[in-house]
Amino acid sequence: MSKRIIYIGVLSISMLFTACKTPLLVERNVNKNVPASFNNSQDTANSGKIKWQDYFIDPYLQGLIDTALINNQELNITLQEIEISRNEVMARKGEYMPSVNIGGGAGFDKVGRYTSRGSSEATTDIKPGRETPDPLPDFTVGAYATWEVDIWHKLRNAKKAAMTRYLSSVEGKNFMVTNLIAEISNSYFELLALDNELDIVRQNIEIQTNALRIVKLQKEATRVTELAVRKFEAEVLSTRGLQYSIMQEIVETENRLNFLVGRFPQPIERNSAGFSALATDGVHGGIPSDLLENRPDIKQAELDLVAAKLDVTVAKANFYPSLGISASLGLQAFNPIYLAKIPESLLTSLVGDMVGPLVNKNAIRATYFNANASQIQAVYNYERTLLKSYIEVANQLSKIDNLKTTYDLKEQEVAALTQSITIANRLFSSARADYMEVLLTQRDALESKFELIETKKQQMNAMVNVYQALGGGWN
């Protein structure tokens, strides 16, 4: 069991040393297992370095993102957490500087007459012919200083750890900005897709209503039965119900966007007309080292790793003796009038002490072991974050390519089914096809159009997600 612990400790220290070095060293290790789809992402350009204003050119979407970066409550909460981290740095910095306080006091002291001190004071005159007051007043004013000499750099390392965690919180905020921009963009494109689905449904309702009118005329001519009429009526009613379902989804998506931008429910301005023509190419993954530079979560994990290493150093220093110095300088007298009499009323002291743990070090050991465990956790978290980022980029780049092919095929399917509606209606009018063929053709065409819109939405989401995976948006 002890050999295994030693092995893990050596492995963790080695990994920590490697991870805290220049990012290029880390890159050289991780590139060995980078998927081919990542390395073949066109060229060395990296879409994650593009500003979000240039990546998302829709003016309505830009307005939503601008508003969210100011009003989003979760982002503002994170900004306050950064402020708290900054104040923690200030507090840690003050700990290894001398502490000086100014104070004053007043009181009196009454001792028993038949004690050694009482009998001594009773027979002692402060001045010739003036006895010691009983009770004896005491007035003090002075400055007091304490300072722990940071001989083991414990306090300095604690300050460095606090500073590193402050920088980590800044990267955490950047990561939140990236995610916020991605979430708003995905919701916006979902809203455009729903608008297009609603238009398709309304067009389909018109087509089905015309078909229902023809069926009723054919029933009057005894060419079809009442069953065909009822089937067509049911289909029209079903499509109308679908219309209101989509309208509800639009309201919920609008309100989700309103929540993200930090405002109460209101209509979202948008232009849904050109949704099907939105371009999804021109996304480049760049080279693997760009992730180390762009992704805020990787930077945050690396800074947490450095802070964890400093915590171990601080915890180790607790085993060593600490040197403290205290001093005071002031004035003390039994009467305020005599405070100005110097040097008679002058009070000075200087004390140095060194204290170290001797028995029962369990609390210090527990703190040290916890710091080591946290350090190993930070190593694993850094590796996990790095691996996750590469996988996300590889997945999204592959998804963009595959969805492009899927969309092209879906377009051909929609075109074929749209033509089949016209053909089915013509055959039905000439009694060469029954009403079920017409209904099924209309239903298949509607579903294929929905699938085409859904594929376009997935394309836009993949474009957003790859930008997010590349660490874009925060800069």
Side-chain angles (χ1 to χ4, degrees):
M1 184 65 180
S2 60
K3 292 181 179 179
R4 183 172 178 268
I5 293 175
I6 293 172
Y7 172 74
I8 293 177
V10 172
L11 176 63
S12 301
I13 292 172
S14 172
M15 292 167 65
L16 178 64
F17 179 77
T18 303
C20 291
K21 283 185 172 290
T22 309
L24 290 178
L25 295 178
V26 180
E27 176 203 335
R28 190 178 299 125
N29 292 331
V30 296
N31 280 348
K32 295 177 182 179
N33 298 320
V34 174
S37 58
F38 186 94
N39 287 324
N40 295 335
S41 55
Q42 280 77 39
D43 52 42
T44 57
N46 187 299
S47 297
K49 295 182 179 180
I50 303 174
K51 293 183 177 180
W52 65 263
Q53 295 93 334
D54 299 326
Y55 193 82
F56 302 108
I57 59 176
D58 188 318
Y60 298 113
L61 177 56
Q62 288 180 348
L64 289 171
I65 295 175
D66 264 329
T67 307
L69 293 179
I70 298 173
N71 296 339
N72 182 265
Q73 289 86 355
E74 190 173 355
L75 182 58
N76 288 328
I77 290 172
T78 302
L79 292 176
Q80 294 307 309
E81 290 176 355
I82 292 175
E83 191 64 28
I84 293 172
S85 299
R86 182 184 298 163
N87 295 334
E88 182 68 19
V89 174
M90 189 186 305
R92 293 293 183 181
K93 183 179 180 181
E95 285 182 357
Y96 71 86
M97 300 294 290
S99 174
V100 180
N101 300 307
I102 298 177
F108 68 89
D109 191 13
K110 175 74 171 76
V111 296
R113 173 68 178 78
Y114 300 108
T115 62
S116 60
R117 179 182 165 189
S119 60
S120 175
E121 291 180 353
T123 57
T124 303
D125 293 343
I126 291 181
K127 286 184 176 183
R130 185 172 180 181
E131 297 180 352
T132 301
D134 187 22
L136 183 65
D138 185 24
F139 298 93
T140 307
V141 59
Y144 309 90
T146 58
W147 181 37
E148 181 180 348
V149 183
D150 194 21
I151 53 179
W152 313 114
H153 286 191
K154 177 178 69 175
L155 301 178
R156 280 185 176 84
N157 286 329
K159 190 207 84 165
K160 290 179 182 177
M163 173 62 75
T164 305
R165 287 195 167 88
Y166 162 70
L167 297 175
S168 173
S169 66
V170 173
E171 296 299 338
K173 184 269 295 182
N174 294 338
F175 187 56
M176 177 174 288
V177 169
T178 296
N179 291 338
L180 178 62
I181 291 174
E183 189 173 357
I184 290 174
S185 302
N186 281 328
S187 296
Y188 180 77
F189 291 129
E190 181 181 351
L191 191 57
L192 299 188
L194 288 170
D195 287 342
N196 280 262
E197 288 181 2
L198 186 60
D199 289 340
I200 291 172
V201 167
R202 286 171 175 167
Q203 293 171 12
N204 211 64
I205 289 174
E206 185 177 352
I207 293 173
Q208 290 176 346
T209 303
N210 291 334
L212 176 60
R213 187 172 59 252
I214 294 172
V215 169
K216 286 181 177 179
L217 291 174
Q218 289 189 339
K219 177 183 177 293
E220 292 176 0
T222 67
R223 294 179 59 184
V224 296
T225 64
E226 181 68 17
L227 178 61
V229 175
R230 295 305 178 190
K231 282 285 187 181
F232 271 87
E233 284 181 346
E235 196 69 19
V236 173
L237 292 172
S238 174
T239 308
R240 284 180 178 174
L242 180 60
Q243 173 185 1
Y244 291 100
S245 176
I246 295 174
M247 290 170 64
Q248 177 61 27
E249 289 186 54
I250 289 174
V251 171
E252 292 177 1
T253 306
E254 283 184 322
N255 288 336
R256 182 165 69 247
L257 277 168
N258 284 319
F259 175 77
L260 291 173
V261 301
R263 66 190 185 190
F264 289 99
Q266 57 184 275
I268 300 293
E269 289 187 276
R270 57 193 182 272
N271 181 13
S272 307
F275 177 72
S276 299
L278 290 175
T280 57
D281 16 345
V283 180
H284 307 294
I287 58 178
S289 61
D290 287 336
L291 281 185
L292 299 174
E293 180 182 352
N294 287 349
R295 292 263 308 209
D297 56 334
I298 294 180
K299 294 181 181 178
Q300 184 180 21
E302 185 176 353
L303 289 168
D304 288 340
L305 189 57
V306 175
K309 180 181 179 183
L310 291 170
D311 287 341
V312 173
T313 306
V314 173
K316 186 178 181 181
N318 288 329
F319 288 101
Y320 308 141
S322 61
L323 175 62
I325 298 175
S326 60
S328 63
L329 176 65
L331 303 172
Q332 185 176 22
F334 71 89
N335 192 320
I337 298 175
Y338 299 132
L339 290 175
K341 287 185 176 294
I342 300 175
E344 289 84 354
S345 62
L346 190 63
L347 172 67
T348 61
S349 69
L350 179 63
V351 179
D353 53 39
M354 181 170 283
V355 180
L358 181 61
V359 181
N360 193 7
K361 302 179 183 179
N362 288 338
I364 300 176
R365 287 194 186 96
T367 302
Y368 179 69
F369 292 152
N370 286 342
N372 271 291
S374 297
Q375 182 186 25
I376 295 173
Q377 276 185 332
V379 172
Y380 289 140
N381 182 58
Y382 181 81
E383 290 182 336
R384 182 182 65 86
T385 304
L386 202 59
L387 180 61
K388 178 184 175 185
S389 65
Y390 281 108
I391 289 175
E392 285 178 354
V393 174
N395 287 343
Q396 295 304 324
L397 289 174
S398 175
K399 190 173 184 179
I400 286 177
D401 293 337
N402 291 328
L403 284 174
K404 185 177 184 303
T405 305
T406 304
Y407 187 80
D408 293 339
L409 295 173
K410 278 292 175 187
E411 272 190 318
Q412 299 175 29
E413 179 185 345
V414 168
L417 287 172
T418 302
Q419 293 175 358
S420 68
I421 292 177
T422 305
I423 296 172
N425 288 334
R426 190 180 305 124
L427 292 174
F428 181 71
S429 300
S430 59
R432 296 170 61 188
D434 60 26
Y435 65 91
M436 287 303 298
E437 290 179 294
V438 177
L439 286 174
L440 291 175
T441 302
Q442 291 177 350
R443 191 175 299 172
D444 291 342
L446 178 62
E447 290 177 357
S448 66
K449 290 177 182 178
F450 277 175
E451 290 172 359
L452 182 66
I453 295 298
E454 179 66 23
T455 304
K456 172 56 70 173
K457 186 186 79 171
Q458 291 178 5
Q459 278 187 299
M460 301 310 298
N461 289 345
M463 188 190 74
V464 173
N465 293 338
V466 76
Y467 184 64
Q468 177 186 10
L470 291 169
W474 63 270
N475 51 351

